Amino acid sequence: MSIRVTSWLESLQAHGYRLTEARRAVVEVVATSKRALSPLEVYEIARRRYPALGLVSVYRTLEMLSALHLVQRVHQEDGCNAYLPSLEGHQHLLICERCRRVEYFDGDDLEALFARVGEQTGFEIRSHWLQLFGLCQACKQAVS
Amino acid sequence: MSIRVTSWLESLQAHGYRLTEARRAVVEVVATSKRALSPLEVYEIARRRYPALGLVSVYRTLEMLSALHLVQRVHQEDGCNAYLPSLEGHQHLLICERCRRVEYFDGDDLEALFARVGEQTGFEIRSHWLQLFGLCQACKQAVS
DNA sequence: CATAGAATTGAAAACGGTTTTCAGTATGAG
DNA sequence: CTCATACTGAAAACCGTTTTCAATTCTATG
Ligand SMILES: [Mn+2]
Ligand SMILES: [Mn+2]
Ligand SMILES: [Zn+2]
Ligand SMILES: [Zn+2]
């Protein structure tokens, strides 16, 4: 059992949620995924372990995990309904346009840019998204 | 009549589309907006000029304008169905979280970051999104 | 371990934004 | 002006998501 699965289940419990088979199945799928999954994809995969699972429970569990900042929604040109484990703290995503595999990175240094843009526009800047798109190593070879 | 309205209408015509009242109404609203507008918002505003307008035509016109790269879809935490005029070339958005007003900026220098992340992950980086969120001058005062 | 009450479940219905269908209309080339 | 056809709006269909609800499952407590 992945450490992340255990830790998510403990988090749910610590926030007063009960541990049920439906939640366990959803958590196991999402917490161990290396790619962004839509609710329907989560449903189809999780049902292999727990066939009685309902799609509604996938939505409800994703909403909880989202409120606890354990998952985040990923936006792409071709859809904005995929979810991914959130790492600790602020980080950015690099997404494979072909297979949806995701890598995390940080180390952007945009403070100077924010200051300049804030000054020029009069905006108070509160947050930002920086997301890269491309092809992962496997898909790069598959395509060429 | 705004230069951008004229230019969009010419673009549509140049690509073989007919100029109709419905299209004119939609183009006039979207091309002159300083804020990202949802199809329904476009519909409601455009109907003040052309009451016979159907919501379907808003969708159809937005799709054309999008294919011609004259508008772009804007993604936000609370929804991804708003459209905005696209400026020439690559640029980034700064969006007011309260009123959706948008400013454009460029001058990001992220090439070094892309090179480093590409190297570390093995990805071929093809594009990126950089979007800032905050409060515009007017909303900053209204909130405080 | 047994109980009881509340949280949770999945099925079905409802919802809301978007797309398709279709018969009538307006556009623009000739 | 005429005519073929691109385009229209209304209505229906569609599809992902949310709500409703009666039945079931947890878990705190004895
Ligand atoms: Mn950052
Ligand atoms: Mn850029
Ligand atoms: Zn989005
Ligand atoms: Zn504002």
Side-chain angles (χ1 to χ4, degrees), chain A residues 123, chain B residues 35 95-102 134-140:
Chain A
F123 270 59
Chain B
R35 293 186 283 128
I95 305 168
C96 177
E97 290 173 329
R98 190 164 168 280
C99 74
R100 287 202 168 179
R101 184 188 177 90
V102 173
L135 289 176
C136 74
Q137 215 148 21
C139 289
K140 213 158 55 176

PDB file of all heavy atoms in Angstrom, chain A residues 123, chain B residues 35 95-102 134-140, ligand 4:
ATOM      1  N   PHE A 123      -2.819  46.420 -10.888  1.00  0.00           N
ATOM      2  CA  PHE A 123      -3.423  45.232 -10.286  1.00  0.00           C
ATOM      3  C   PHE A 123      -2.669  44.830  -9.026  1.00  0.00           C
ATOM      4  O   PHE A 123      -1.467  45.027  -8.915  1.00  0.00           O
ATOM      5  CB  PHE A 123      -3.342  44.043 -11.249  1.00  0.00           C
ATOM      6  CG  PHE A 123      -4.512  43.901 -12.180  1.00  0.00           C
ATOM      7  CD1 PHE A 123      -4.850  44.925 -13.063  1.00  0.00           C
ATOM      8  CD2 PHE A 123      -5.256  42.729 -12.209  1.00  0.00           C
ATOM      9  CE1 PHE A 123      -5.914  44.774 -13.952  1.00  0.00           C
ATOM     10  CE2 PHE A 123      -6.317  42.580 -13.088  1.00  0.00           C
ATOM     11  CZ  PHE A 123      -6.647  43.599 -13.959  1.00  0.00           C
TER      12      PHE A 123
ATOM     13  N   ARG B  35     -13.365  42.581 -20.890  1.00  0.00           N
ATOM     14  CA  ARG B  35     -13.498  41.487 -19.939  1.00  0.00           C
ATOM     15  C   ARG B  35     -13.784  40.183 -20.675  1.00  0.00           C
ATOM     16  O   ARG B  35     -14.341  40.200 -21.764  1.00  0.00           O
ATOM     17  CB  ARG B  35     -14.648  41.773 -18.974  1.00  0.00           C
ATOM     18  CG  ARG B  35     -14.336  42.949 -18.088  1.00  0.00           C
ATOM     19  CD  ARG B  35     -15.385  43.159 -17.039  1.00  0.00           C
ATOM     20  NE  ARG B  35     -16.579  43.774 -17.569  1.00  0.00           N
ATOM     21  CZ  ARG B  35     -17.803  43.284 -17.398  1.00  0.00           C
ATOM     22  NH1 ARG B  35     -17.975  42.167 -16.734  1.00  0.00           N
ATOM     23  NH2 ARG B  35     -18.842  43.900 -17.887  1.00  0.00           N
ATOM     24  N   ILE B  95      -5.758  38.548 -14.890  1.00  0.00           N
ATOM     25  CA  ILE B  95      -7.217  38.545 -14.802  1.00  0.00           C
ATOM     26  C   ILE B  95      -7.684  39.004 -13.432  1.00  0.00           C
ATOM     27  O   ILE B  95      -7.182  38.527 -12.409  1.00  0.00           O
ATOM     28  CB  ILE B  95      -7.752  37.121 -15.056  1.00  0.00           C
ATOM     29  CG1 ILE B  95      -7.226  36.608 -16.395  1.00  0.00           C
ATOM     30  CG2 ILE B  95      -9.271  37.087 -15.005  1.00  0.00           C
ATOM     31  CD1 ILE B  95      -7.461  35.127 -16.594  1.00  0.00           C
ATOM     32  N   CYS B  96      -8.639  39.903 -13.408  1.00  0.00           N
ATOM     33  CA  CYS B  96      -9.223  40.319 -12.135  1.00  0.00           C
ATOM     34  C   CYS B  96     -10.199  39.239 -11.671  1.00  0.00           C
ATOM     35  O   CYS B  96     -11.145  38.883 -12.378  1.00  0.00           O
ATOM     36  CB  CYS B  96      -9.956  41.644 -12.264  1.00  0.00           C
ATOM     37  SG  CYS B  96     -10.750  42.113 -10.703  1.00  0.00           S
ATOM     38  N   GLU B  97      -9.959  38.735 -10.458  1.00  0.00           N
ATOM     39  CA  GLU B  97     -10.783  37.645  -9.944  1.00  0.00           C
ATOM     40  C   GLU B  97     -12.198  38.114  -9.616  1.00  0.00           C
ATOM     41  O   GLU B  97     -13.097  37.303  -9.428  1.00  0.00           O
ATOM     42  CB  GLU B  97     -10.144  37.057  -8.668  1.00  0.00           C
ATOM     43  CG  GLU B  97      -8.868  36.285  -8.954  1.00  0.00           C
ATOM     44  CD  GLU B  97      -8.140  35.860  -7.676  1.00  0.00           C
ATOM     45  OE1 GLU B  97      -8.246  36.593  -6.661  1.00  0.00           O
ATOM     46  OE2 GLU B  97      -7.478  34.818  -7.710  1.00  0.00           O
ATOM     47  N   ARG B  98     -12.372  39.410  -9.504  1.00  0.00           N
ATOM     48  CA  ARG B  98     -13.675  39.912  -9.098  1.00  0.00           C
ATOM     49  C   ARG B  98     -14.530  40.291 -10.296  1.00  0.00           C
ATOM     50  O   ARG B  98     -15.680  39.899 -10.384  1.00  0.00           O
ATOM     51  CB  ARG B  98     -13.493  41.119  -8.169  1.00  0.00           C
ATOM     52  CG  ARG B  98     -14.782  41.573  -7.507  1.00  0.00           C
ATOM     53  CD  ARG B  98     -14.479  42.479  -6.329  1.00  0.00           C
ATOM     54  NE  ARG B  98     -15.690  43.142  -5.862  1.00  0.00           N
ATOM     55  CZ  ARG B  98     -16.222  44.230  -6.442  1.00  0.00           C
ATOM     56  NH1 ARG B  98     -15.645  44.776  -7.490  1.00  0.00           N
ATOM     57  NH2 ARG B  98     -17.329  44.754  -5.959  1.00  0.00           N
ATOM     58  N   CYS B  99     -13.985  41.041 -11.244  1.00  0.00           N
ATOM     59  CA  CYS B  99     -14.806  41.543 -12.354  1.00  0.00           C
ATOM     60  C   CYS B  99     -14.402  40.947 -13.697  1.00  0.00           C
ATOM     61  O   CYS B  99     -14.999  41.258 -14.711  1.00  0.00           O
ATOM     62  CB  CYS B  99     -14.744  43.068 -12.423  1.00  0.00           C
ATOM     63  SG  CYS B  99     -13.190  43.719 -13.065  1.00  0.00           S
ATOM     64  N   ARG B 100     -13.381  40.106 -13.706  1.00  0.00           N
ATOM     65  CA  ARG B 100     -12.915  39.423 -14.925  1.00  0.00           C
ATOM     66  C   ARG B 100     -12.238  40.340 -15.921  1.00  0.00           C
ATOM     67  O   ARG B 100     -11.977  39.939 -17.059  1.00  0.00           O
ATOM     68  CB  ARG B 100     -14.070  38.693 -15.620  1.00  0.00           C
ATOM     69  CG  ARG B 100     -14.500  37.456 -14.892  1.00  0.00           C
ATOM     70  CD  ARG B 100     -15.216  36.526 -15.857  1.00  0.00           C
ATOM     71  NE  ARG B 100     -15.415  35.212 -15.284  1.00  0.00           N
ATOM     72  CZ  ARG B 100     -16.040  34.217 -15.904  1.00  0.00           C
ATOM     73  NH1 ARG B 100     -16.509  34.399 -17.099  1.00  0.00           N
ATOM     74  NH2 ARG B 100     -16.155  33.052 -15.328  1.00  0.00           N
ATOM     75  N   ARG B 101     -11.995  41.574 -15.554  1.00  0.00           N
ATOM     76  CA  ARG B 101     -11.258  42.439 -16.451  1.00  0.00           C
ATOM     77  C   ARG B 101      -9.901  41.815 -16.727  1.00  0.00           C
ATOM     78  O   ARG B 101      -9.292  41.196 -15.857  1.00  0.00           O
ATOM     79  CB  ARG B 101     -11.063  43.809 -15.798  1.00  0.00           C
ATOM     80  CG  ARG B 101     -10.396  44.800 -16.711  1.00  0.00           C
ATOM     81  CD  ARG B 101     -10.032  46.095 -16.000  1.00  0.00           C
ATOM     82  NE  ARG B 101      -9.338  46.970 -16.922  1.00  0.00           N
ATOM     83  CZ  ARG B 101      -9.951  47.849 -17.703  1.00  0.00           C
ATOM     84  NH1 ARG B 101     -11.258  47.987 -17.649  1.00  0.00           N
ATOM     85  NH2 ARG B 101      -9.247  48.581 -18.544  1.00  0.00           N
ATOM     86  N   VAL B 102      -9.423  41.986 -17.953  1.00  0.00           N
ATOM     87  CA  VAL B 102      -8.164  41.353 -18.334  1.00  0.00           C
ATOM     88  C   VAL B 102      -7.175  42.380 -18.843  1.00  0.00           C
ATOM     89  O   VAL B 102      -7.545  43.305 -19.564  1.00  0.00           O
ATOM     90  CB  VAL B 102      -8.411  40.293 -19.425  1.00  0.00           C
ATOM     91  CG1 VAL B 102      -7.103  39.754 -19.957  1.00  0.00           C
ATOM     92  CG2 VAL B 102      -9.253  39.155 -18.859  1.00  0.00           C
ATOM     93  N   GLY B 134      -5.603  38.377  -9.857  1.00  0.00           N
ATOM     94  CA  GLY B 134      -5.530  39.378  -8.811  1.00  0.00           C
ATOM     95  C   GLY B 134      -6.752  40.267  -8.807  1.00  0.00           C
ATOM     96  O   GLY B 134      -7.836  39.841  -9.191  1.00  0.00           O
ATOM     97  N   LEU B 135      -6.547  41.477  -8.362  1.00  0.00           N
ATOM     98  CA  LEU B 135      -7.641  42.445  -8.316  1.00  0.00           C
ATOM     99  C   LEU B 135      -7.235  43.676  -9.110  1.00  0.00           C
ATOM    100  O   LEU B 135      -6.143  44.223  -8.906  1.00  0.00           O
ATOM    101  CB  LEU B 135      -7.919  42.863  -6.868  1.00  0.00           C
ATOM    102  CG  LEU B 135      -8.567  41.820  -5.958  1.00  0.00           C
ATOM    103  CD1 LEU B 135      -8.685  42.370  -4.543  1.00  0.00           C
ATOM    104  CD2 LEU B 135      -9.943  41.411  -6.488  1.00  0.00           C
ATOM    105  N   CYS B 136      -8.104  44.127  -9.973  1.00  0.00           N
ATOM    106  CA  CYS B 136      -7.809  45.336 -10.731  1.00  0.00           C
ATOM    107  C   CYS B 136      -7.944  46.561  -9.819  1.00  0.00           C
ATOM    108  O   CYS B 136      -8.454  46.464  -8.706  1.00  0.00           O
ATOM    109  CB  CYS B 136      -8.728  45.453 -11.940  1.00  0.00           C
ATOM    110  SG  CYS B 136     -10.411  45.927 -11.529  1.00  0.00           S
ATOM    111  N   GLN B 137      -7.493  47.670 -10.315  1.00  0.00           N
ATOM    112  CA  GLN B 137      -7.473  48.888  -9.501  1.00  0.00           C
ATOM    113  C   GLN B 137      -8.855  49.203  -8.914  1.00  0.00           C
ATOM    114  O   GLN B 137      -9.000  49.448  -7.722  1.00  0.00           O
ATOM    115  CB  GLN B 137      -6.995  50.057 -10.361  1.00  0.00           C
ATOM    116  CG  GLN B 137      -6.164  51.060  -9.593  1.00  0.00           C
ATOM    117  CD  GLN B 137      -5.111  51.708 -10.478  1.00  0.00           C
ATOM    118  OE1 GLN B 137      -5.234  51.716 -11.706  1.00  0.00           O
ATOM    119  NE2 GLN B 137      -4.064  52.246  -9.859  1.00  0.00           N
ATOM    120  N   ALA B 138      -9.871  49.123  -9.778  1.00  0.00           N
ATOM    121  CA  ALA B 138     -11.226  49.454  -9.332  1.00  0.00           C
ATOM    122  C   ALA B 138     -11.701  48.481  -8.260  1.00  0.00           C
ATOM    123  O   ALA B 138     -12.273  48.885  -7.242  1.00  0.00           O
ATOM    124  CB  ALA B 138     -12.178  49.456 -10.516  1.00  0.00           C
ATOM    125  N   CYS B 139     -11.460  47.190  -8.471  1.00  0.00           N
ATOM    126  CA  CYS B 139     -11.967  46.187  -7.535  1.00  0.00           C
ATOM    127  C   CYS B 139     -11.167  46.187  -6.231  1.00  0.00           C
ATOM    128  O   CYS B 139     -11.698  45.845  -5.174  1.00  0.00           O
ATOM    129  CB  CYS B 139     -11.938  44.810  -8.183  1.00  0.00           C
ATOM    130  SG  CYS B 139     -13.193  44.641  -9.479  1.00  0.00           S
ATOM    131  N   LYS B 140      -9.894  46.566  -6.305  1.00  0.00           N
ATOM    132  CA  LYS B 140      -9.058  46.660  -5.123  1.00  0.00           C
ATOM    133  C   LYS B 140      -9.707  47.627  -4.136  1.00  0.00           C
ATOM    134  O   LYS B 140      -9.847  47.334  -2.956  1.00  0.00           O
ATOM    135  CB  LYS B 140      -7.678  47.194  -5.542  1.00  0.00           C
ATOM    136  CG  LYS B 140      -6.515  46.675  -4.766  1.00  0.00           C
ATOM    137  CD  LYS B 140      -5.198  46.811  -5.545  1.00  0.00           C
ATOM    138  CE  LYS B 140      -4.906  48.226  -6.018  1.00  0.00           C
ATOM    139  NZ  LYS B 140      -3.563  48.307  -6.678  1.00  0.00           N
TER     140      LYS B 140
HETATM  141 ZN    ZN E   4     -11.814  43.986 -11.279  1.00  0.00          ZN
END
